[in-house]
Every structure is written in structure tokens, then in C-alpha cells.
Amino acid sequence: MHIGQLIKQELANQGRSVVWFAKQISCSRACTYKLFNQPSIGTDRLLLISNLLGVDFFKVYSAELKEIRKLMDKK
């Protein structure tokens, strides 16, 4: 899972621009593009982005945790 890419994809799905997104999260465009390349994001920022885009990105982490636990249980 690459959370930055998931956010970028969701932004595109909603037809929103990077400029709009950057303004909403109080970040420069350059910072926003760096965010898209990050495999992980702090919880405060992820909460802000989840609320902004109306997507619970924390569920992505929960689903990954469940998969890891399934694999661990099989061992």
C-alpha cells in the first residue's frame, strides 16, 4: 500500500486539482507532490485529508493490518 498514491488517485477521481488540494491542506504544490510520493503519512495530516476528500483512508491501514494478521495466524 502506498498512501500517497491512493490520495493522488482519489483526488483525480474527484476531479480536483493539485492547486485546490494544496490550498486546502495549507501546503505548497511542491509539498503536495512530495506527499503523493510518500508511502506513509502522519495521522493528523491523514485525518485532515480523509475529512477533506470524504474518504476514510484509515480503513486502508485497517485492511492491511487484517491481512498481516491472517498471514501471521497461518504460521
Side-chain angles (χ1 to χ4, degrees), residues 52-64:
L52 177 65
L53 297 179
V55 175
D56 185 355
F57 288 104
F58 291 96
K59 284 186 177 181
V60 175
Y61 283 107
S62 294
E64 185 171 315

Side-chain angles (χ1 to χ4, degrees), residues 9-59:
Q9 181 180 357
E10 181 59 34
L11 192 63
N13 290 346
Q14 292 186 17
R16 300 193 184 267
S17 71
V18 172
V19 172
W20 174 86
F21 183 69
K23 286 181 184 178
Q24 297 300 311
I25 63 170
S26 301
C27 190
S28 68
R29 282 181 56 215
C31 174
T32 301
Y33 284 112
K34 286 180 185 177
L35 183 142
F36 293 154
N37 289 320
Q38 293 178 351
S40 63
I41 297 174
T43 55
D44 289 344
R45 178 156 281 189
L46 190 60
L47 181 60
L48 171 69
I49 293 168
S50 291
N51 284 327
L52 177 65
L53 297 179
V55 175
D56 185 355
F57 288 104
F58 291 96
K59 284 186 177 181

